[in-house]
């Protein structure tokens, strides 16, 4: 790290550089993991359910995020080695396309998490009518709408990124969605907790207090991971728009690569907390690996 | 996105430290930022942000565990049940996707029963509170007889 922290009057905050090897390893791990999930869901007919489709949508958006970072790095390396010109129109369009890919990944992530939370909410609160409410066709329609909206918004944001009018909705969307997801999960959690209390009052059951703690831990992990991985980047966008020349803001913006790496770490962690918690998916993985040997 | 392009600029600048800016399109000048006369530490936003984030997550965790420990808002009369309820599936795994498939039909059955049980209680309470709708009441009676749902 090139942080110079002697006295305050010296040099500016230099960019904190993440080594290329770390970058590519994290990106590759994210892409592979999410690809495996897509393959597993495609191969196992038991997993053709709305909830797994939403998990696949999350996997796709995570993959796009990691892919973006990888492509950007490869692009820069190619420029270093001289295979690509630096002043071309083509490069600019390529860069535009990659920016919109990244924003697509962020929006896709947020909406996929929202869809997963809503699906679980309906599973718990409308358990008896779940199959009528969330049919496979409806799930696919919902996913199509989500991705069309995300694609349109990402292209619009990438083209008109200079306007404050695009940055502000973009940064408001993030905490709003998070708050909504938090409310859904807290409501589910309260239901599970009061249900547990009912069961605890039954004479024949033994209740472990630890299982309630486990629910709290699970929920905190869900939301804490998403927040810690995406909020730094969103703050960066805000600061870059509104105070680029302020020294404090500039110092925050110097850790941009770390923020980018965090987003790729989110792509690695998300499958673990959503997809791999399903025993059916895990057994599909095992079959895939043992059959290939 | 201007921020991203800006950083692409800096990235490529970092990589080729001796050359000029490599992307040749419109962006606003980062410019030399003067760091004179700073009152607080220059990484104060970074530190403040991460500390705030950590505090928020820990606060959220404590609120959730507090919800665990305090009593339910209204005490319901627990109906005696002949069937066994599996604690794990109802509370700790609410974050897990509910399973389908032949192997998990047993788990599904018990989970469904526990969910039905609770839904019926809720519906009955809605009934008593509102004292208006007869539909949900009838519905709950009928659904109580229902075989646990099977997923296909």
């Amino acid at each position: 790290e090139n942080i110079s922290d002697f006295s305050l009057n010296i040099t500016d905050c230099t960019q904190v550089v993440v080594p290329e090897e770390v970058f590519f390893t994290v990106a590759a791990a994210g892409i592979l993991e999410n690809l495996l999930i897509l393959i597993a869901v495609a191969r196992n007919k038991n997993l053709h359910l709305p909830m797994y489709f939403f998990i696949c949508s999350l996997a796709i958006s995570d993959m796009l995020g990691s892919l973006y970072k990888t492509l950007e790095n490869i692009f820069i390396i190619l420029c270093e080695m001289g295979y690509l010109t630096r002043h071309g129109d083509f490069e600019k369009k390529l860069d535009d396309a990659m920016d919109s890919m990244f924003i697509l990944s962020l929006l896709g992530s947020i909406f996929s998490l929202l869809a997963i939370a809503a699906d679980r909410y309906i599973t718990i609160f409308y358990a008896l009518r779940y199959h009528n409410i969330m049919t496979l066709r409806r799930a696919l329609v919902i996913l199509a709408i989500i991705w069309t909206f995300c694609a349109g918004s990402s292209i619009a944001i990438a083209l008109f990124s200079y306007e404050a009018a695009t940055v502000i909705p973009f940064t408001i969307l993030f905490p709003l969605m998070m708050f909504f997801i938090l409310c859904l999960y807290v409501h589910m959690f309260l239901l599970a907790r009061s249900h547990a209390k009912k069961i605890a009052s039954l004479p024949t059951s033994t209740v472990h207090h630890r299982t309630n703690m486990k629910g709290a831990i699970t929920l905190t992990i869900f939301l804490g991971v998403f927040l810690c991985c995406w909020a730094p980047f969103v703050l960066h966008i805000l600061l870059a728009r509104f105070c680029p020349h302020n020294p404090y803001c500039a110092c925050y913006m110097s850790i941009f690569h770390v923020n980018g790496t965090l987003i790729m770490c989110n792509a690695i962690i998300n499958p673990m907390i959503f997809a791999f918690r399903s025993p059916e998916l895990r057994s599909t993985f095992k079959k895939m690996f043992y059959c290939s040997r | 996105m201007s921020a991203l392009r800006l950083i692409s600029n800096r990235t490529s600048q970092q990589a080729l430290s001796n050359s000029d800016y490599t992307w040749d399109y419109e962006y606003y000048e980062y410019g030399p930022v003067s760091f004179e006369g700073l009152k607080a530490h220059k990484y104060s936003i970074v530190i403040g942000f991460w500390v705030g984030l950590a505090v928020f997550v820990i606060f959220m965790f404590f609120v959730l565990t507090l919800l665990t420990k305090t009593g339910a808002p209204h005490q319901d009369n627990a109906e005696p049940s002949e069937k066994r309820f599996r604690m794990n599936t109802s509370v700790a795994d609410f974050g897990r996707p509910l399973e389908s498939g032949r192997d998990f039909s047993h788990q599904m059955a018990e989970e469904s029963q526990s969910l039905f049980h609770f839904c019926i209680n809720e519906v009955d309470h809605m009934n008593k509170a509102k004292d208006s709708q007869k539909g949900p009441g009838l519905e709950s009676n009928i659904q109580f007889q229902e075989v646990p749902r099977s997923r296909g």
Side-chain angles (χ1 to χ4, degrees), chain A residues 4 8 51 80 86-87 95-96 120 123 128 161-162 191 193 198 212 240 245 248 251 256 278-280, chain B residues 1 5 7 16 22 24-25 28-29 35 38 40 42 65 67-68 91 95 97-99 104 116 118 143:
Chain A
S4 57
L8 297 174
M51 76 181 71
E80 258 183 71
R86 289 155 200 172
H87 307 288
D95 200 58
D96 269 343
R120 286 180 181 168
T123 306
L128 306 172
S161 58
Y162 302 112
L191 169 68
R193 184 190 51 97
K198 281 197 189 70
N212 282 342
H245 301 297
Y248 297 113
C251 275
F256 179 74
S278 148
E280 182 78 21
Chain B
M1 173 161 275
R5 286 179 195 149
I7 300 309
L16 319 154
T22 57
D24 187 30
Y25 47 81
Y28 51 76
E29 271 285 333
F35 281 78
L38 288 184
K42 58 184 177 170
T65 38
L67 288 175
T68 314
V91 176
L98 298 176
E99 288 308 329
F104 300 101
F116 289 173
F118 187 79
Q143 285 156 353

Side-chain angles (χ1 to χ4, degrees), chain A residues 18-38:
Chain A
V18 174
E20 299 274 340
E21 295 83 22
V22 172
F23 219 72
F24 278 119
T25 312
V26 172
I31 293 175
L32 278 175
E33 205 175 352
N34 289 295
L35 203 61
L36 276 177
I37 290 177
L38 292 176

Side-chain angles (χ1 to χ4, degrees), chain A residues 133-145:
Chain A
I133 296 176
M134 187 66 76
T135 56
L136 212 59
R137 175 175 289 191
R138 263 189 209 160
L140 290 173
V141 165
I142 289 172
L143 281 177
I145 292 174

Side-chain angles (χ1 to χ4, degrees), chain B residues 39-55:
Chain B
K39 298 193 189 94
H41 190 267
K42 58 184 177 170
Y43 282 103
S44 52
I45 292 189
V46 179
I47 297 170
F49 171 75
W50 280 104
V51 167
L53 203 61
V55 163

Side-chain angles (χ1 to χ4, degrees), chain A residues 116-167:
Chain A
I116 290 175
D119 179 71
R120 286 180 181 168
Y121 190 85
I122 295 176
T123 306
I124 288 184
F125 285 95
Y126 299 93
L128 306 172
R129 288 174 283 150
Y130 175 80
H131 279 296
N132 295 334
I133 296 176
M134 187 66 76
T135 56
L136 212 59
R137 175 175 289 191
R138 263 189 209 160
L140 290 173
V141 165
I142 289 172
L143 281 177
I145 292 174
I146 285 176
W147 281 97
T148 314
F149 174 73
C150 292
S153 319
S154 71
I155 292 174
I157 291 176
L159 288 179
F160 301 112
S161 58
Y162 302 112
E163 314 287 327
T166 50
V167 170

Side-chain angles (χ1 to χ4, degrees), chain A residues 2-22:
Chain A
N2 304 333
I3 305 173
S4 57
D5 49 0
F6 307 109
S7 80
L8 297 174
N9 289 350
I10 307 186
T11 55
D12 54 347
C13 300
T14 54
Q15 278 274 333
V16 173
V17 175
V18 174
E20 299 274 340
E21 295 83 22
V22 172

Side-chain angles (χ1 to χ4, degrees), chain A residues 223-243:
Chain A
L223 296 163
V225 162
F226 184 71
L227 201 57
C228 290
C229 291
W230 285 100
F233 177 76
V234 175
L235 183 62
H236 177 101
I237 299 239
L238 267 178
L239 294 182
R241 182 62 190 82
F242 292 114
C243 65

